C-alpha cells in the first residue's frame, strides 16, 4: 500500500513539473505556481458565489429567528420588546416586506408567505404615531436614568456632607452637590419624579400594545399553527441546504474538470507538452476544492444528519461515536480516490496499450520506429521476455504478442 502511494506521488509530481519528460526551469515553475494560485482563488470565489445562489434557510424564513426568540422569552415585557423591533428610529427606511423580498432578487427560491404576512403586520405597526410614542418612552426612560444617577451621587456624598456640617465648614467651600440638610428632600423629590415618569411610561406602553395593528401582530406571533409551519419549513430548509450547496458547487466544478481532463488527454496524445502541463495543473486545481467541499458536506450535510439520527436513536447521548464513524469512513474514501487515480489516471498498462498502438515509447510516449528496441528519446527498453515462449513482447501489456500467454503484472 505504501509503495503504491509513493509511486502515485512520484507520478503526480513528475507530471506537475515536467514537459515531455523534461524538467521545468525555475522561472517557468514559478510562473505556473502563480497561475495556479490565481486560478484557485477565482475558483473558490466562484464556488462561494454559486453556493449563495439558492436562498439560505435564514433568507427563506427571515422571521423565524425573531419568532423563536419571542416564544422562548419569559420576560413580562416581551410584547413591548417585539413591538420595539418593528419601530426603527428611521421610519423612512424600506418596509420589512420589501427587505424580505429583496433576497429573492438574483436568487433561486421563495421567501415564506407566512414570513411575508409577519413583515406586513410589522409594517402596519411602523407608523409615525407609534414612532412618536417610542421616542416619548425613550426620553422619559433617559430622564429616569439621570435622576437615578443623581440619587446615587447624593447617597455616595451624604457621609462627607454630614461631616462638613458637623465640622462647621461653610456650604460655599463644599465640594459636594447637595448639602446634608437638603439631601433627604432632594432624594424624595427625585423619587417622586421617577415614579411619575414610570407611570407615564406604563401608560404609553399600554396604549401602544392596545392599538389594533399591535394586537394583530401579537395575535400572529401567538398563533401555534403559523409558527409550526415556519419552524417545520426552516428545519427542512436547514436539512437540505448543504446538499443544495454541494449540488451547485459540483455543477460549477464538474464541467471545468471534464474540460481540463479532455484537453489533457488530447494534449498528451498529440504531444503538446506545455498544453498537457497546464491542463494537468488545471485538473488538479479543480479537484482540490471539489474534494474539500465533499469533506465539508460530510460534516454538515445529509449524511451527517443521517448518521446523527441513527446513533442518537441507538446509543442516545453517545454522539462522540460519529467521530469513530468518520475516522473509519474518511480513510476508505481516501483509499477509493487513490485507487481511482491509480487504475484510471496513472494506469501504466492503459497508457502502454495506447502508446503501442500509436508506435510510441511506452514510457515517454514519444514517436519511435516499429523496430526500435530502445527509445531514442529516453533510452527505455520497450520489451520483456515472455515467461512461456521466451520471445520478446511489449512491457506493461497483459498478454504475449507471440503465444498469448498472460504476463505477470509485476514485470
Amino acid at each position: 500500500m505504501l509503495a503504491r502511494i509513493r509511486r502515485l506521488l512520484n507520478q503526480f509530481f513528475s507530471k506537475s513539473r515536467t514537459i515531455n519528460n523534461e524538467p521545468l526551469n525555475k522561472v517557468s515553475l514559478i510562473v505556473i505556481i502563480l497561475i495556479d494560485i490565481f486560478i484557485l482563488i477565482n475558483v473558490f470565489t466562484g464556488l462561494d458565489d454559486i453556493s449563495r445562489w439558492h436562498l439560505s434557510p435564514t433568507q427563506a424564513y427571515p422571521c423565524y429567528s425573531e419568532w423563536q426568540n419571542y416564544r422562548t422569552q419569559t420576560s413580562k415585557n416581551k410584547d413591548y420588546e417585539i413591538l420595539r423591533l418593528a419601530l426603527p428610529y428611521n421610519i423612512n427606511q424600506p418596509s420589512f416586506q420589501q427587505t424580505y423580498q429583496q433576497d429573492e432578487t438574483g436568487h433561486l427560491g421563495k421567501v415564506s408567505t407566512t414570513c411575508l404576512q409577519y413583515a406586513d403586520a410589522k409594517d402596519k405597526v411602523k407608523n409615525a404615531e407609534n414612532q412618536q410614542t417610542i421616542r416619548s418612552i425613550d426620553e422619559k426612560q433617559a430622564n429616569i436614568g439621570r435622576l437615578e444617577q443623581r440619587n446615587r451621587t447624593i447617597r455616595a456624598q451624604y457621609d462627607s456632607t454630614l461631616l462638613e456640617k458637623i465640622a462647621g465648614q461653610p456650604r460655599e467651600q463644599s465640594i459636594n452637590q447637595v448639602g446634608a440638610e437638603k439631601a433627604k428632600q432632594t432624594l424624595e423629590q427625585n423619587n417622586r419624579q421617577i415614579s411619575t415618569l414610570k407611570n407615564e411610561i406604563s401608560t404609553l406602553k399600554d396604549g401602544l400594545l392596545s392599538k389594533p395593528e399591535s394586537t394583530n401582530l401579537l395575535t400572529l406571533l401567538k398563533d401555534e399553527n403559523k409558527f409550526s409551519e415556519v419552524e417545520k419549513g426552516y428545519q427542512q430548509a436547514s436539512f437540505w441546504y448543504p446538499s443544495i450547496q454541494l449540488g451547485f458547487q459540483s455543477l460549477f466544478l464538474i464541467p471545468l474538470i471534464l474540460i481540463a481532463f479532455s484537453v489533457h488527454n488530447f494534449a498528451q496524445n498529440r504531444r503538446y507538452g506545455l498544453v498537457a502541463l497546464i491542463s494537468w495543473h488545471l485538473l488538479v486545481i479543480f479537484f482540490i476544492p471539489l474534494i474539500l467541499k465533499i469533506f465539508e458536506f460530510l460534516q454538515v450535510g445529509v449524511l451527517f444528519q443521517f448518521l446523527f439520527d441513527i446513533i442518537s436513536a441507538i446509543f442516545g447521548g453517545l454522539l462522540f461515536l460519529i467521530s469513530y464513524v468518520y475516522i473509519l469512513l474518511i480513510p476508505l474514501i481516501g483509499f477509493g480516490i487513490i485507487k481511482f487515480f491509480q487504475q484510471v489516471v496513472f494506469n501504466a498498462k492503459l497508457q502502454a496499450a495506447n502508446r503501442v498502438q500509436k508506435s510510441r515509447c511506452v514510457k515517454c510516449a514519444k514517436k519511435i520506429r516499429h523496430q526500435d528496441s530502445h527509445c531514442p528519446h529516453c533510452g527505455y527498453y520497450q520489451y520483456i521476455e515472455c515467461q512461456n515462449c521466451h520471445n520478446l513482447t511489449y512491457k506493461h501489456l497483459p498478454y504475449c504478442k507471440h503465444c498469448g500467454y498472460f504476463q505477470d503484472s509485476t514485470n
Side-chain angles (χ1 to χ4, degrees):
M1 181 65 181
L2 291 176
R4 289 181 177 181
I5 294 174
R6 191 181 301 111
R7 184 166 61 251
L8 187 66
L9 290 175
N10 289 337
Q11 291 176 347
F12 173 82
F13 286 113
S14 176
K15 293 191 71 165
S16 300
R17 60 192 180 194
T18 58
I19 298 179
N20 294 333
N21 292 318
E22 295 181 3
L24 282 174
N25 58 65
K26 293 181 179 180
V27 175
S28 299
L29 188 60
I30 292 172
V31 171
I32 288 289
I33 291 173
L34 292 176
I35 293 173
D36 290 346
I37 294 172
F38 175 79
I39 294 175
L40 192 61
I41 291 172
N42 281 273
V43 167
F44 276 107
T45 302
L47 285 174
D48 182 66
D49 290 340
I50 200 170
S51 65
R52 299 174 189 271
W53 195 8
H54 195 280
L55 289 177
S56 68
T58 54
Q59 290 173 320
Y61 297 88
C63 63
Y64 175 74
S65 178
E66 285 184 14
W67 210 329
Q68 177 70 9
N69 290 337
Y70 173 78
R71 293 177 62 83
T72 55
Q73 278 184 358
T74 56
S75 170
K76 63 180 182 180
N77 289 324
K78 69 177 188 178
D79 287 348
Y80 170 72
E81 295 299 330
I82 198 71
L83 291 178
R84 281 296 303 263
L85 293 176
L87 289 165
Y89 285 103
N90 182 12
I91 200 171
N92 295 321
Q93 69 182 28
S95 67
F96 290 105
Q97 197 169 55
Q98 287 176 340
T99 303
Y100 287 0
Q101 290 176 325
Q102 279 177 356
D103 289 330
E104 292 182 355
T105 305
H107 293 85
L108 296 177
K110 294 290 184 180
V111 176
S112 164
T113 54
T114 306
C115 284
L116 292 177
Q117 293 175 7
Y118 173 76
D120 183 58
K122 288 176 68 176
D123 287 330
K124 290 177 180 176
V125 172
K126 190 181 69 172
N127 56 53
E129 184 181 353
N130 292 338
Q131 188 70 37
Q132 184 58 44
T133 301
I134 291 296
R135 289 197 185 96
S136 299
I137 292 174
D138 289 342
E139 290 174 1
K140 294 179 186 300
Q141 197 65 54
N143 290 335
I144 289 174
R146 286 192 291 269
L147 290 171
E148 288 177 342
Q149 179 60 42
R150 194 175 303 167
N151 286 350
R152 285 192 292 269
T153 302
I154 292 172
R155 291 189 184 98
Q157 296 176 351
Y158 181 74
D159 291 340
S160 62
T161 55
L162 187 60
L163 290 174
E164 289 174 355
K165 183 177 180 181
I166 294 172
Q169 181 176 324
R171 181 69 188 91
E172 59 272 9
Q173 295 181 3
S174 175
I175 61 172
N176 297 315
Q177 294 179 0
V178 181
E181 65 281 357
K182 292 185 178 181
K184 183 178 180 181
Q185 179 183 355
T186 304
L187 286 172
E188 290 177 351
Q189 182 181 355
N190 289 345
N191 287 333
R192 284 194 298 271
Q193 292 182 20
I194 289 172
S195 178
T196 301
L197 290 170
K198 286 183 176 180
N199 290 333
E200 292 175 356
I201 289 174
S202 179
T203 302
L204 289 172
K205 286 183 177 180
D206 291 341
L208 181 62
L209 291 169
S210 63
K211 290 190 174 182
E213 60 270 20
S214 301
T215 304
N216 290 337
L217 177 59
L218 295 174
T219 301
L220 178 61
L221 286 168
K222 294 172 183 177
D223 190 327
E224 292 287 343
N225 294 330
K226 292 289 187 182
F227 176 75
S228 298
E229 178 185 339
V230 171
E231 186 176 39
K232 183 179 179 181
Y234 180 83
Q235 290 174 350
Q236 288 181 345
S238 299
F239 178 80
W240 287 109
Y241 188 60
S243 304
I244 293 171
Q245 282 188 306
L246 180 64
F248 281 118
Q249 290 164 349
S250 300
L251 188 65
F252 177 83
L253 286 171
I254 289 176
L256 296 176
I257 291 172
L258 293 176
I259 292 171
F261 186 73
S262 301
V263 171
H264 180 67
N265 284 340
F266 175 80
Q268 275 193 318
N269 293 333
R270 294 299 182 91
R271 302 304 300 154
Y272 299 152
L274 183 58
V275 176
L277 176 67
I278 293 176
S279 59
W280 170 253
H281 277 254
L282 291 175
L283 187 61
V284 172
I285 287 171
F286 298 149
F287 260 111
I288 289 173
L290 180 61
I291 293 171
L292 291 177
K293 294 300 179 181
I294 289 174
F295 281 124
E296 180 182 328
F297 168 77
L298 291 177
Q299 291 291 331
V300 298
V302 175
L303 178 61
F304 175 82
Q305 188 64 40
F306 177 72
L307 295 174
F308 181 89
D309 292 340
I310 290 178
I311 292 175
S312 297
I314 298 175
F315 299 103
L318 303 179
L319 298 181
F320 64 87
L321 293 175
I322 293 176
S323 299
Y324 283 116
V325 174
Y326 277 121
I327 289 171
L328 295 175
L329 183 63
I330 299 304
L332 290 176
I333 294 174
F335 177 79
I337 293 172
I338 292 172
K339 200 72 175 176
F340 168 77
F341 276 95
Q342 188 173 2
Q343 296 295 329
V344 178
V345 180
F346 297 115
N347 192 310
K349 291 183 178 180
L350 293 178
Q351 292 176 345
N354 291 329
R355 290 169 183 175
V356 168
Q357 291 175 0
K358 297 176 182 178
S359 297
R360 296 182 182 275
C361 171
V362 294
K363 182 180 181 182
C364 71
K366 289 186 177 180
K367 194 76 173 178
I368 59 174
R369 295 173 299 178
H370 182 70
Q371 66 271 21
D372 290 338
S373 299
H374 291 81
C375 175
H377 307 285
C378 66
Y380 187 73
Y381 187 56
Q382 306 293 302
Y383 300 103
I384 191 173
E385 184 179 322
C386 174
Q387 301 167 1
N388 182 51
C389 68
H390 302 290
N391 288 315
L392 293 179
T393 187
Y394 291 110
K395 281 186 177 180
H396 304 304
L397 295 187
Y399 298 97
C400 174
K401 68 177 181 177
H402 297 286
C403 67
Y405 185 78
F406 178 74
Q407 302 298 305
D408 189 350
S409 61
T410 58
N411 290 332

